[in-house]
Amino acid sequence: MIDKSNTNEEESDFTSDALPDEAEVEQKGFVLWDRLRSPRTLISFGLAIAIVVFVFSGLNIDVRQTWQYIQQVNPWMLVLGFLIFYLTFPMRALRWRLLLGNAGVPVHEGRHDWASLPALMEYIYLSWFANCIVPAKLGDAYRGYLLKHNGRVSFSSAFGTIFAERLLDMLGLFLLLLISAWFTFGVHMPEGTQLIFGFGAILVVAILAGLAGMRWLGPVVRKIIPQRMHQFYDRFEHAALSSFKPTVLPRLILFTGMIWMLEGFRLFFVIEAFGPAVSGLSLSAIIFVALASSLLTALPITPAGLGVVEGAITVVLLFFGIEQSLGIAITLLDRLINFWSIVVGGFFVYLFSKRR
């Protein structure tokens, strides 16, 4: 059971100026329209559009040929890709429930519908929707706010479990990316992949350093941060560190591996939808492309890597010998599933949700 002081805390000793977005969301909630019209969001979308224009203008797109490829796809394969992608959400919810339980949040009490599997899935889906329309991964902070708003759970504790989840995701994604690259390229990695692995390695090291810092340098951190943030940091640290109890670690690893393998199979079915038009791509190569694109969504400069991911997927597919118009068609349909379906679906969930 979580401490009573945690469940009812307002953490009101934060002031609104010069605070991270996480604290702003915890204090003020999440007003979609305000976030959408903020200068940073508008600049982020402008940058995304500029990236798309820059990349695709350099490719001399044959719009007619691209449209012909899209018209010839097998819709049932796309449906399979769609279902595979959305199957990851219950798995993510089950994994998050384990992390919350480890952190002391009473998620197993049946009367708490705020902690039911559908509720956790809704929080995750709404946070992904927020990540797709606002920059800087603000959706993660929004998910912490949703748990606090609906379950009276400490925002800092909820955010600590989300940090732990991000660590699992980054480690699992990076490990599977390395494995798929080894099966695809062997020991001789192409030059273009160095940037992807470099970015992934930086993220992994940064997150592990943060976790190690909390584990061994907690007293030093408390001396550095303002006194008013100590209570927030203490609960965040406790939740993040206690999320990885050895008894549930195998299940956490299993869920993480399954989630990222399904992400790879999503792209596999999208490519299969084009039939004989696509040839020569091994399953390991497809998983490599899918995971590389997922890694790039971690870039905080545009919402969900908009523009960056589209350009990267197309360029990597060209590297594997996929014809240009076909590569663009594959990219557009894949992003239709893992980006635009969340934008559209998330809008309606946000509109009618009683938990937002």
Side-chain angles (χ1 to χ4, degrees):
M1 292 286 291
I2 193 166
D3 186 77
K4 291 289 185 181
S5 63
N6 285 10
T7 57
N8 292 311
E9 69 160 294
E10 293 298 328
E11 294 169 12
S12 57
D13 54 338
F14 286 99
T15 55
S16 60
D17 55 326
L19 288 176
D21 283 332
E22 291 82 358
E24 288 183 21
V25 172
E26 189 276 335
Q27 263 195 341
K28 303 177 182 178
F30 187 91
V31 181
L32 178 62
W33 175 243
D34 289 347
R35 299 291 173 176
L36 275 175
R37 64 182 181 177
S38 71
R40 184 165 60 175
T41 300
L42 297 176
I43 291 171
S44 180
F45 272 109
L47 181 60
I49 293 171
I51 293 172
V52 171
V53 171
F54 175 77
V55 172
F56 290 115
S57 62
L59 295 176
N60 297 318
I61 300 173
D62 186 338
V63 177
R64 180 177 297 179
Q65 183 62 49
T66 301
W67 178 241
Q68 285 179 355
Y69 279 125
I70 292 175
Q71 286 181 306
Q72 294 169 7
V73 299
N74 182 340
W76 295 111
M77 286 294 173
L78 287 182
V79 170
L80 270 176
F82 180 89
L83 293 176
I84 286 291
F85 174 66
Y86 276 85
L87 184 59
T88 64
F89 284 97
M91 290 188 177
R92 291 180 184 276
L94 287 168
R95 184 182 61 174
W96 191 28
R97 176 182 280 182
L98 288 174
L99 294 170
L100 289 167
N102 287 347
V105 178
V107 294
H108 298 294
E109 297 183 22
R111 66 179 182 273
H112 292 316
D113 64 339
W114 55 267
S116 66
L117 186 62
L120 294 177
M121 288 172 59
E122 186 175 338
Y123 304 148
I124 293 172
Y125 194 69
L126 285 171
S127 72
W128 278 45
F129 169 60
N131 279 333
C132 285
I133 61 174
V134 292
K137 289 289 183 183
L138 188 55
D140 290 350
Y142 179 44
R143 187 169 14 142
Y145 163 77
L146 287 172
L147 202 62
K148 174 182 172 60
H149 175 67
N150 291 278
R152 299 300 177 187
V153 176
S154 160
F155 174 83
S156 46
S157 295
F159 199 73
T161 65
I162 295 168
F163 174 83
E165 179 191 274
R166 286 298 180 187
L167 173 59
L168 282 170
D169 273 335
M170 191 52 58
L171 289 174
L173 189 160
F174 192 65
L175 179 61
L176 288 174
L177 187 67
L178 287 174
I179 294 171
S180 62
W182 186 82
F183 276 103
T184 304
F185 306 113
V187 294
H188 303 291
M189 301 289 181
E191 272 191 39
T193 61
Q194 294 173 359
L195 290 175
I196 295 173
F197 288 119
F199 175 61
I202 290 171
L203 288 178
V204 169
V205 170
I207 295 177
L208 286 176
L211 194 66
M214 284 188 289
R215 176 65 179 84
W216 288 292
L217 301 175
V220 177
V221 173
R222 288 175 183 84
K223 289 180 181 179
I224 296 173
I225 63 176
Q227 180 68 35
R228 60 189 174 84
M229 294 185 66
H230 281 196
Q231 189 180 52
F232 182 96
Y233 174 77
D234 288 343
R235 291 184 174 120
F236 171 81
E237 179 191 86
H238 171 75
L241 293 177
S242 61
S243 292
F244 300 107
K245 289 183 179 177
T247 53
V248 299
L249 195 56
R251 280 180 285 171
L252 292 173
I253 294 172
L254 178 63
F255 277 126
T256 302
M258 292 175 65
I259 287 166
W260 289 111
M261 286 302 294
L262 288 174
E263 290 280 356
F265 276 100
R266 177 205 74 233
L267 181 59
F268 171 79
F269 284 112
V270 170
I271 289 175
E272 283 293 300
F274 289 87
V278 183
S279 60
L281 267 182
S282 64
L283 178 60
S284 62
I286 293 172
I287 292 175
F288 172 80
V289 175
L291 297 183
S293 67
S294 294
L295 179 64
L296 291 174
T297 62
L299 283 169
I301 56 175
T302 64
L306 182 63
V308 178
V309 173
E310 285 80 0
I313 295 176
T314 303
V315 170
V316 173
L317 287 173
L318 291 176
F319 174 82
F320 281 108
I322 302 297
E323 191 265 322
Q324 181 175 288
S325 298
L326 179 57
I328 294 169
I330 292 170
T331 299
L332 292 176
L333 291 184
D334 187 54
R335 289 295 272 171
L336 181 66
I337 292 174
N338 72 349
F339 180 84
W340 293 107
S341 75
I342 293 176
V343 171
V344 175
F347 172 76
F348 286 103
V349 172
Y350 180 86
L351 201 62
F352 296 105
S353 174
K354 295 180 180 179
R355 297 188 173 100
R356 64 184 174 88

